[in-house]
Amino acid sequence: MCGIAGAISFAEDMRADMKVYERMQRALLRRGPDQRGIILTEEAAMIHTRLAVIDINGGRQPMTFSCEKGSYIIVYNGELYNADELRAELEEEFGFCTRSDTEVVLKSYVKWGENCVDRLNGIFAFAVYEQDAHRVFLARDRIGVKPLFYALCKDKLIFASELPALLEHPDVPHEIDEKGAAELLLMAPGRTPGCGVIRGVEEVKAGHCGYYSAKGLDLRQYWKLRAYELSETFEQTAEHVRELVLDSIRRQLVSDVPLCTFLSGGLDSSLISSVAAAEMKKRGEVLHTFSVDYRGNDKYFQKNHFQPDSDPEYIRCMAEYLGTEHHWTIVDTPELVSALDEAVEARGLPGMADVDASLLLFCREIKNYGTVALSGECADEIFGGYPWYRDKDIRMTDGFPWAQSTAYRKRFLTERYAEVINAEEYVYSAYRRTADSAEKLPSDGEVDSRMREMTQLNFDWFMQTLLDRKDRMSMYSGLEVRVPFCDYRIAEYMYNVKWEYKDWQGREKGLLREAMKEWLPEKVLWRKKSPYPKTHNPAFLEAVTERLQKILAEDTPLTELVRREELEKLLRHEEHVQWYGQLMNLPQTIAFFIQLDCWLKRFGIKMI
């Protein structure tokens, strides 16, 4: 994994701005602490920072290649899980100098051009500059695990893995307009697909690629969830799922540096840890597993609909069952509050408050052991694990199921924005566009038709928020986190499995449980879903309340965007409204506004 950036212009000499490119590169050093490089031509600056995982000595970037077709320069961030197959296919024509994925991607592009993306199985964002053709090709993986932001300004394209790097370029404005205000207060921590929040900044959407040339930028969608008839029995479906899941996990265990897994004691991370432990045992190695908890959670934890039990009991069960070397990270309230600022720096935007901050601290501890970790993200979106898939009333509600708080959120808009933003229309139209884009079959019944919409909504919105979080919080410490359930083959297949199978025996992710039942002890296999752990210590609410009070007592840009009286009401703890599903309640909402204040100040954001 790495950080990439660059600037392309056909109207000015790009070699004159080396100091700018060095600043952009420095902003990405946490993503790639091992190696760095910049290549300048008259038209292009290609910038890279590397986190070395495969072929540590041979995979340096930017990487160049010349042949009769032309001269190419690539900057690449990602991991390719079918690299060996592609290398074998390309070997005779091109030969290879390294074992790195980067060379495979570059020569795949030379061979197949823009259609190379159809052959890549992995998580990636990359840019290839063709010197002879005077153009640059941009691409992002099918599901959007790896980020790629860009801005078109002053006859040039500027791109980067992260917003802070993009903002180091003087041509990119540090401004938000009414659209940015709507995103921050009505959508955050989610984002409209392709929206970079900052004025003029966009993101290459998941499953998109295209060219920038003197004619401009032309992006196209090369992948989406497609509907097709599936006539397999439940037993055949379970076998198919088992094959896909096992293959995905095993492919992602390749690494030249120490590898470990997250272990929450839930179904998804436990499955990944179980398969990883078995594979490493074959090599004579012991898997290291990692868990996070909060000081005082054993004292303050209370069962609820979303979190019926706490994790430690199940974590200990799995660690003993697998014989792993297990590590605990215990987060205390003061460091959690302090890390809210670092989480803003890492994400480049205000985010999921303590849910971001705790993951950042957790990843920092894991990095002390190794460089690569596997995590269970996205199984809930793909296999239908969330309550809004299974609760009949929630899933049929017309709107984002995890964000039914528009009426509450719009109260925070200052008058200047409230007058020009139709909050209900902004949110509902975004929801409707996504739901309507879900591909269906004439044979779909009411439930399966709605489930396709729910899957598309989760793919484009909720899952992207979690993937943003996982990428930024982990890469901030130079930790590569792989997500085996994000294999596009699993996503394509599961999109067409009927809900009756997914909800097997009336259990969330019942199909996945049945397919993988041989890999887990009964206690964990049938454990009710529990979300990412949050602190239950009342000290956190007290601490964030005090901090936001201090912010409001001083000169703050926050009140140019957010209505002061609503912030003061929030601090009185009179209402307990979910800001973003079960992950963000009153303490997290207060912490979100702390992060928003931090973001406005840290990046010098102006409201226009």
Side-chain angles (χ1 to χ4, degrees), residues 371-533:
T371 301
V372 178
L374 271 63
S375 177
E377 256 77 12
C378 304
D380 286 305
E381 288 84 354
I382 292 171
F383 287 92
Y386 290 124
W388 48 74
Y389 279 102
R390 308 187 67 254
D391 185 301
K392 294 178 182 179
D393 292 331
I394 296 176
R395 75 181 180 216
M396 296 310 294
T397 298
D398 201 22
F400 292 113
W402 54 84
Q404 296 288 313
S405 56
T406 303
Y408 176 66
R409 283 172 174 251
K410 74 176 185 179
R411 286 170 20 193
F412 289 88
L413 286 165
T414 54
E415 188 174 346
R416 69 179 281 200
Y417 290 114
E419 288 178 350
V420 295
I421 297 171
N422 184 326
E424 286 80 7
E425 172 61 23
Y426 192 89
V427 175
Y428 184 75
S429 62
Y431 157 77
R432 197 67 262 165
R433 283 194 304 272
T434 306
D436 290 345
S437 73
E439 194 168 292
K440 301 176 184 178
L441 295 176
S443 58
D444 289 340
E446 181 183 17
V447 172
D448 284 311
S449 176
R450 180 56 174 166
M451 286 306 176
R452 290 193 193 273
E453 293 182 353
M454 292 292 283
T455 300
Q456 193 69 60
L457 287 163
N458 277 270
F459 255 72
D460 289 358
W461 291 85
F462 199 78
M463 191 165 84
Q464 289 303 314
T465 305
L466 296 182
L467 289 174
D468 278 0
R469 166 182 174 261
K470 182 56 64 71
D471 175 79
R472 309 305 191 277
M473 299 308 121
S474 60
M475 293 301 288
Y476 190 72
S477 293
L479 177 71
E480 174 189 317
V481 177
R482 300 173 181 175
V483 280
F485 287 111
C486 263
D487 189 306
Y488 75 94
R489 299 170 302 162
I490 298 175
E492 287 178 339
Y493 180 71
M494 288 304 302
Y495 186 67
N496 292 285
V497 172
K498 55 189 175 183
W499 177 246
E500 176 189 350
Y501 287 179
K502 292 180 185 178
D503 195 42
W504 188 249
Q505 295 185 345
R507 293 299 305 269
E508 73 272 3
K509 294 180 286 189
L511 170 59
L512 180 61
R513 295 176 196 271
E514 182 66 26
M516 303 299 292
K517 62 185 178 182
E518 296 178 3
W519 288 91
L520 296 176
E522 288 285 315
K523 179 176 181 176
V524 175
L525 179 65
W526 297 107
R527 181 192 178 191
K528 187 173 175 58
K529 174 178 168 49
S530 189
Y532 178 85

Side-chain angles (χ1 to χ4, degrees), residues 228-247:
Y228 59 81
E229 293 285 357
L230 197 61
S231 58
E232 295 174 336
T233 66
F234 178 78
E235 290 72 21
Q236 291 170 327
T237 302
E239 176 62 26
H240 200 151
V241 167
R242 182 161 51 252
E243 292 173 357
L244 286 170
V245 169
L246 289 174
D247 184 65

